[in-house]
Amino acid sequence: MLKYKILAVIIVIVYFLQTFFVSFGGIGADSLSYFGIAADLPAPETNLFPLGYPVLLRLAHFFSEDYFWASKILNALFTIIILFFSYYKKFYFRETVLVFAGKTFYFVFFNAMSEGPFIFSMYFLLYFLHQIFSENKNLYINTFGASMMMICMFFFRYSGVYIYLSIVLFVILFFFKLKEKTYFKALLLFLILSGLGIGSYLSLNYFHFGSFTGEGLRGKAGDHSFLQLIRNLFGLVNVIDPFIAIKPISSSFGSIAFQFVVFVIDLFIFRYMLQYYKKAKETSLFSFHILLWIMAGFYGIALLVSGWFQQIEEMGVRLMAASNFCLFFSFLILYFKNNSSDKMIWRISCLFFVFLVLYGLKDPGDYLENKNKIEPQMSKFKDKTYLYNNEKNSITVTTYYFPIINKSFNYNHTNNQKGKLKEGIAGTLNPKIKWIKEDTVRDKSKVLYTSQLKLN
C-alpha cells in the first residue's frame, strides 16, 4: 500500500506543477468562456454553458489574483479530496490512484475545464451508488448523496443528463430483477430527486434565458463526411483504452493510419479487459458493474449522435472522459479482486503515467513568464470589448530530431501558436473581454487583436 501512497503524492505534485511548464498553461478557448461567465456573475449573459463551473471559479477567485490561479486551486482541491476520501473511506484506494495515472484524470485535472468538477462529482456519484448496491445501512442517506452528485454533474455539464438517462435505462432493463432488491425503492427515489433537480435547472434556464441549454446559440454541426464519421468512431472505441489517447483532428493518410493502428490496439485491450468484465457475475456487485458499463456505452453513443446535430468537439479524451472513467474503474475493481499480484498493472500504470507527463511536456514552455510579459500591456486595452486571434496564419513549427536514425520531422502544436497563447493569457487577465471566432465586429476599435500584444 505504501507505493500507492507515494504515487498519490507524486500525482498531486505533478498535476499541480505541470501546467507551469507548458506555454498555454492548460487554458483553452472554453476556459475563457467559463472565465467570462464567472466574471459576469451574478448576472450571466448566456446559458450556453451551465453555471456550476463558473460559480466555483468565482468562489476560488476570492483567494487568487486571476482565474488561472482560481482554476489551479480547484483542480488541486479536486485531486486531493478524491485521493484523501478514497484512502480515508477505504474506497478502492489502489484503483483510484491508478485511475489518476490514466489519460482521463490526467487530462481533465490538468486543464481549466468543466470536466474537472464533472468527473469529481461523478466519482462521488459512483461512491454513493456503490454504497446503495452494497445494501449499506444508510440507504437513504446514500440515495440523497447520489442525487446531489447527479444534479451537480448536470450543473457542471449539460451532458450529465446522459448519465442520468443511462441510469434510467438500467432500471428499465433490469426492472423485474431490481424490484426484488432492498435498494429498489432507494434507486427509484434517486431517479425522482435527480430528475426534479435537473428539471428545475432546465426550467430556470428557460424562464430566464428563453432556452433550456442555450440551444439557439450553438453552431450547426460541421463535417458529415464518411471520414469524419470514421474518425469519431475511432475516438469512441478509444474509450476502452486507459492510457493511449487519440485526437482525431486530421483526415490525412498518416493521421488516419495512426488512428487505425490505435483502433486495433484498443480492440486487443478490450479483449483482455473483457476477461475480467465476465468475472463480475461472480461478485456481489454485478449490478453495479452492469450500471457502469451501461453508463459508459450510453454516454459515448449519445455524444456521438449529439455531435451529428450540433457543433461539439470530435470524440476525444475530453468528450469521452465519463465513459472511460466508468470502464477503467470497473476493470480495476475486478482486476484487484481476481489477482493476488498487482505487479503488471502497477508497472504498466506507472510507465504510462510517466509517458503522459513527458508527452505533456513535448513542447515545453513557461506559462508564468509569458503571462508576466502580457500582463503589463493589458492596461492599454481596458476599453476593448472583444478579443480576436488575428495571427492564425502565423504558424510556429516545432522540429523534432532523432539522432539514432538521423531523421527529423516538423509538427504544429495547436496550443503553442503565438496568437493562441496571447489569446489565452489576455482572456485570463481580463475575463470581461469576449473572445470571438471571426472578426465580424464592425467597430474595430472595440477589438483587441492578438498582434497588438507582444511576447518577445
Side-chain angles (χ1 to χ4, degrees):
M1 188 63 75
L2 177 61
K3 62 185 179 184
Y4 289 96
K5 295 177 186 177
I6 294 172
L7 181 57
V9 173
I10 293 173
I11 284 169
V12 171
I13 295 171
V14 169
Y15 274 30
F16 183 78
L17 293 180
Q18 184 153 1
T19 47
F20 299 134
F21 301 103
V22 292
S23 300
F24 74 107
I27 307 298
D30 280 356
S31 306
L32 302 185
S33 296
Y34 286 114
F35 296 166
I37 297 171
D40 289 338
L41 292 174
E45 299 176 0
T46 176
N47 66 334
L48 183 60
F49 298 99
L51 294 178
Y53 188 42
V55 167
L56 292 183
L57 284 168
R58 187 62 179 267
L59 292 173
H61 189 257
F62 287 116
F63 307 97
S64 60
E65 58 185 31
D66 58 46
Y67 283 101
F68 165 75
W69 286 106
S71 67
K72 292 293 296 177
I73 290 171
L74 290 176
N75 281 347
L77 285 175
F78 295 148
T79 304
I80 293 169
I81 290 172
I82 289 177
L83 288 170
F84 178 79
F85 177 88
S86 174
Y87 178 75
Y88 180 75
K89 284 287 189 177
K90 296 181 174 57
F91 180 66
Y92 300 118
F93 178 67
R94 292 179 300 177
E95 293 84 344
T96 299
V97 172
L98 295 188
V99 167
F100 269 101
K103 66 181 182 183
T104 291
F105 275 39
Y106 175 82
F107 184 80
V108 303
F109 295 123
F110 173 88
N111 297 286
M113 55 176 58
S114 59
E115 280 77 7
F118 182 77
I119 292 297
F120 174 80
S121 301
M122 187 173 191
Y123 181 86
F124 287 96
L125 170 68
L126 297 189
Y127 167 76
F128 288 119
L129 288 175
H130 177 276
Q131 298 303 95
I132 291 172
F133 283 102
S134 299
E135 301 186 58
N136 190 283
K137 294 179 180 178
N138 302 316
L139 194 58
Y140 288 97
I141 293 177
N142 290 319
T143 300
F144 178 78
S147 302
M148 292 302 101
M149 291 301 102
M150 185 69 260
I151 295 169
C152 283
M153 288 181 68
F154 185 76
F155 196 42
F156 294 127
R157 288 189 63 80
Y158 290 134
S159 60
V161 73
Y162 297 142
I163 296 296
Y164 174 74
L165 292 176
S166 68
I167 301 174
V168 172
L169 177 62
F170 167 78
V171 173
I172 292 173
L173 291 176
F174 297 93
F175 180 83
F176 294 104
K177 182 178 180 180
L178 291 172
K179 73 175 186 177
E180 300 173 359
K181 303 291 184 179
T182 56
Y183 54 75
F184 178 66
K185 291 182 179 179
L187 205 56
L188 292 181
L189 180 60
F190 159 78
L191 293 178
I192 293 170
L193 292 176
S194 300
L196 287 174
I198 293 172
S200 298
Y201 186 79
L202 288 173
S203 299
L204 288 173
N205 259 359
Y206 185 79
F207 288 119
H208 186 74
F209 295 103
S211 65
F212 291 109
T213 60
E215 50 269 18
L217 302 174
R218 300 182 187 278
K220 294 182 180 179
D223 185 10
H224 279 166
S225 67
F226 176 72
L227 275 179
Q228 171 75 5
L229 177 61
I230 292 298
R231 292 203 307 267
N232 278 328
L233 288 175
F234 283 161
L236 180 62
V237 174
N238 186 242
V239 75
I240 195 66
D241 197 321
F243 305 110
I244 303 174
I246 60 173
K247 191 175 182 181
I249 59 174
S250 173
S251 298
S252 67
F253 175 79
S255 176
I256 294 296
F258 173 75
Q259 292 172 50
F260 179 75
V261 170
V262 175
F263 168 74
V264 173
I265 294 172
D266 292 341
L267 292 180
F268 280 103
I269 291 174
F270 177 70
R271 182 181 178 184
Y272 175 77
M273 295 173 76
L274 190 60
Q275 301 174 47
Y276 288 92
Y277 291 148
K278 289 179 179 178
K279 296 179 180 181
K281 294 180 181 179
E282 304 166 9
T283 71
S284 59
L285 288 170
F286 183 39
S287 295
F288 176 69
H289 287 284
I290 292 176
L291 176 59
L292 292 182
W293 305 335
I294 290 177
M295 278 184 181
F298 186 91
Y299 186 84
I301 294 172
L303 282 178
L304 180 68
V305 174
S306 179
W308 194 261
F309 298 100
Q310 62 179 323
Q311 188 181 61
I312 60 174
E313 288 188 25
E314 290 182 306
M315 303 297 108
V317 178
R318 182 180 181 184
L319 259 63
M320 296 290 101
S323 294
N324 180 262
F325 173 33
C326 287
L327 293 176
F328 192 24
F329 196 52
S330 173
F331 164 75
L332 287 172
I333 292 172
L334 294 168
Y335 181 91
F336 279 101
K337 188 173 183 61
N338 290 278
N339 286 285
S340 57
S341 173
D342 64 349
K343 285 184 180 180
M344 187 181 75
I345 193 66
W346 167 258
R347 291 172 179 174
I348 292 174
S349 298
C350 289
L351 174 66
F352 276 99
F353 178 64
V354 172
F355 168 78
L356 288 169
V357 173
L358 294 178
Y359 183 78
L361 296 172
K362 62 185 178 296
D363 194 30
D366 190 332
Y367 175 78
L368 293 180
E369 181 182 348
N370 292 335
K371 183 169 170 283
N372 289 335
K373 290 178 181 178
I374 296 293
E375 191 166 10
Q377 304 173 48
M378 291 301 292
S379 59
K380 298 183 293 183
F381 305 108
K382 289 182 179 179
D383 59 329
K384 303 296 184 180
T385 307
Y386 303 98
L387 173 64
Y388 178 67
N389 177 12
N390 66 328
E391 298 176 279
K392 296 175 183 176
N393 294 324
S394 179
I395 305 298
T396 300
V397 178
T398 303
T399 301
Y400 294 94
Y401 175 69
F402 297 89
I404 297 177
I405 58 175
N406 194 28
K407 295 288 184 180
S408 62
F409 74 95
N410 298 327
Y411 186 76
N412 301 334
H413 290 285
T414 306
N415 292 319
N416 197 31
Q417 303 304 312
K418 282 190 175 181
K420 193 171 182 66
L421 295 178
K422 296 174 187 177
E423 180 186 58
I425 294 171
T428 300
L429 294 171
N430 180 12
K432 285 285 188 179
I433 198 169
K434 307 299 180 185
W435 72 277
I436 51 177
K437 286 186 177 180
E438 303 295 336
D439 186 15
T440 55
V441 179
R442 292 185 178 182
D443 187 354
K444 304 303 181 186
S445 65
K446 293 183 178 181
V447 182
L448 169 56
Y449 293 97
T450 55
S451 59
Q452 295 175 268
L453 299 169
K454 306 301 178 185
L455 263 179
N456 299 326

